[in-house]
Short mmCIF file of all heavy atoms in Angstrom, two decimals:
data_model
loop_
_atom_site.label_atom_id
_atom_site.label_comp_id
_atom_site.label_asym_id
_atom_site.label_seq_id
_atom_site.Cartn_x
_atom_site.Cartn_y
_atom_site.Cartn_z
N GLU A 1304 -9.71 -3.89 8.06
CA GLU A 1304 -8.71 -3.37 8.80
C GLU A 1304 -8.72 -1.85 9.00
O GLU A 1304 -8.54 -1.17 10.10
CB GLU A 1304 -7.31 -3.76 8.32
CG GLU A 1304 -6.12 -3.35 9.18
CD GLU A 1304 -6.11 -4.01 10.53
OE1 GLU A 1304 -6.64 -5.08 10.62
OE2 GLU A 1304 -5.56 -3.47 11.41
N PHE A 1305 -9.04 -1.16 7.86
CA PHE A 1305 -9.25 0.23 7.89
C PHE A 1305 -10.32 0.80 8.79
O PHE A 1305 -10.16 1.70 9.54
CB PHE A 1305 -9.43 0.82 6.47
CG PHE A 1305 -9.63 2.34 6.38
CD1 PHE A 1305 -8.52 3.13 6.53
CD2 PHE A 1305 -10.87 2.79 6.09
CE1 PHE A 1305 -8.70 4.55 6.38
CE2 PHE A 1305 -11.24 4.21 6.01
CZ PHE A 1305 -10.09 5.06 6.23
N ARG A 1306 -11.47 0.03 8.74
CA ARG A 1306 -12.53 0.37 9.56
C ARG A 1306 -12.39 0.19 11.07
O ARG A 1306 -12.73 1.01 11.80
CB ARG A 1306 -13.85 -0.44 9.15
CG ARG A 1306 -14.35 0.07 7.77
CD ARG A 1306 -15.70 -0.48 7.42
NE ARG A 1306 -16.11 0.04 6.20
CZ ARG A 1306 -16.83 -0.50 5.31
NH1 ARG A 1306 -17.09 -1.85 5.50
NH2 ARG A 1306 -17.26 -0.02 4.09
N ARG A 1307 -11.55 -0.93 11.35
CA ARG A 1307 -11.21 -1.26 12.73
C ARG A 1307 -10.36 -0.07 13.28
O ARG A 1307 -10.50 0.37 14.34
CB ARG A 1307 -10.66 -2.45 12.97
CG ARG A 1307 -11.55 -3.78 12.85
CD ARG A 1307 -10.78 -4.98 13.32
NE ARG A 1307 -9.74 -5.37 12.41
CZ ARG A 1307 -9.86 -6.16 11.51
NH1 ARG A 1307 -11.06 -6.77 11.15
NH2 ARG A 1307 -8.84 -6.50 10.65
N ALA A 1308 -9.38 0.20 12.43
CA ALA A 1308 -8.38 1.34 12.90
C ALA A 1308 -9.11 2.55 13.07
O ALA A 1308 -8.78 3.35 14.04
CB ALA A 1308 -7.35 1.45 11.82
N ARG A 1309 -9.97 2.96 12.26
CA ARG A 1309 -10.92 4.22 12.31
C ARG A 1309 -11.67 4.24 13.64
O ARG A 1309 -11.84 5.31 14.28
CB ARG A 1309 -11.75 4.52 11.22
CG ARG A 1309 -11.06 4.72 9.74
CD ARG A 1309 -10.65 6.18 9.73
NE ARG A 1309 -11.88 7.03 9.67
CZ ARG A 1309 -11.77 8.10 9.58
NH1 ARG A 1309 -10.66 8.93 9.46
NH2 ARG A 1309 -12.94 9.10 9.66
N GLN A 1310 -12.33 3.01 13.84
CA GLN A 1310 -13.05 3.07 15.15
C GLN A 1310 -12.25 3.18 16.51
O GLN A 1310 -12.59 3.94 17.29
CB GLN A 1310 -13.90 1.72 15.18
CG GLN A 1310 -14.98 1.56 14.16
CD GLN A 1310 -15.61 0.15 14.24
OE1 GLN A 1310 -15.03 -0.80 14.73
NE2 GLN A 1310 -16.70 0.07 13.44
N HIS A 1311 -11.08 2.51 16.35
CA HIS A 1311 -10.30 2.64 17.57
C HIS A 1311 -9.61 3.97 17.61
O HIS A 1311 -9.34 4.46 18.76
CB HIS A 1311 -9.13 1.58 17.58
CG HIS A 1311 -9.69 0.22 17.75
ND1 HIS A 1311 -10.38 -0.30 18.80
CD2 HIS A 1311 -9.78 -0.82 16.86
CE1 HIS A 1311 -10.70 -1.56 18.77
NE2 HIS A 1311 -10.41 -1.90 17.49
N ALA A 1312 -9.36 4.69 16.57
CA ALA A 1312 -8.70 6.00 16.63
C ALA A 1312 -9.70 6.98 17.13
O ALA A 1312 -9.34 7.95 17.72
CB ALA A 1312 -8.20 6.40 15.22
N THR A 1313 -10.84 6.95 16.80
CA THR A 1313 -11.87 7.98 17.20
C THR A 1313 -12.58 7.57 18.52
O THR A 1313 -13.43 8.38 19.06
CB THR A 1313 -12.87 8.25 16.14
OG1 THR A 1313 -13.61 6.89 15.80
CG2 THR A 1313 -12.29 8.73 14.80
N ALA A 1314 -12.49 6.35 19.00
CA ALA A 1314 -13.10 6.07 20.09
C ALA A 1314 -12.79 6.82 21.44
O ALA A 1314 -13.67 7.18 22.28
CB ALA A 1314 -12.90 4.54 20.53
N GLY A 1315 -11.58 7.17 21.59
CA GLY A 1315 -11.19 8.00 22.70
C GLY A 1315 -11.00 9.51 22.42
O GLY A 1315 -10.49 10.21 23.38
N SER A 1316 -11.44 9.99 21.31
CA SER A 1316 -11.09 11.29 21.19
C SER A 1316 -12.27 12.21 21.82
O SER A 1316 -13.41 11.68 21.99
CB SER A 1316 -11.38 11.66 19.54
OG SER A 1316 -12.60 11.39 19.08
N PRO A 1317 -11.82 13.47 22.23
CA PRO A 1317 -12.84 14.25 22.96
C PRO A 1317 -13.94 14.94 22.23
O PRO A 1317 -14.88 15.39 22.74
CB PRO A 1317 -11.85 15.29 23.62
CG PRO A 1317 -10.67 15.44 22.59
CD PRO A 1317 -10.54 13.96 22.19
N THR A 1318 -13.79 14.78 20.91
CA THR A 1318 -14.94 15.52 20.11
C THR A 1318 -16.02 14.54 19.76
O THR A 1318 -15.96 13.43 19.83
CB THR A 1318 -14.40 16.03 18.78
OG1 THR A 1318 -13.69 14.88 18.14
CG2 THR A 1318 -13.38 17.09 18.95
#
Side-chain angles (χ1 to χ4, degrees):
E1304 182 66 28
F1305 177 74
R1306 288 187 178 148
R1307 280 192 298 267
R1309 294 276 299 179
Q1310 286 174 350
H1311 293 294
T1313 58
S1316 67
T1318 54

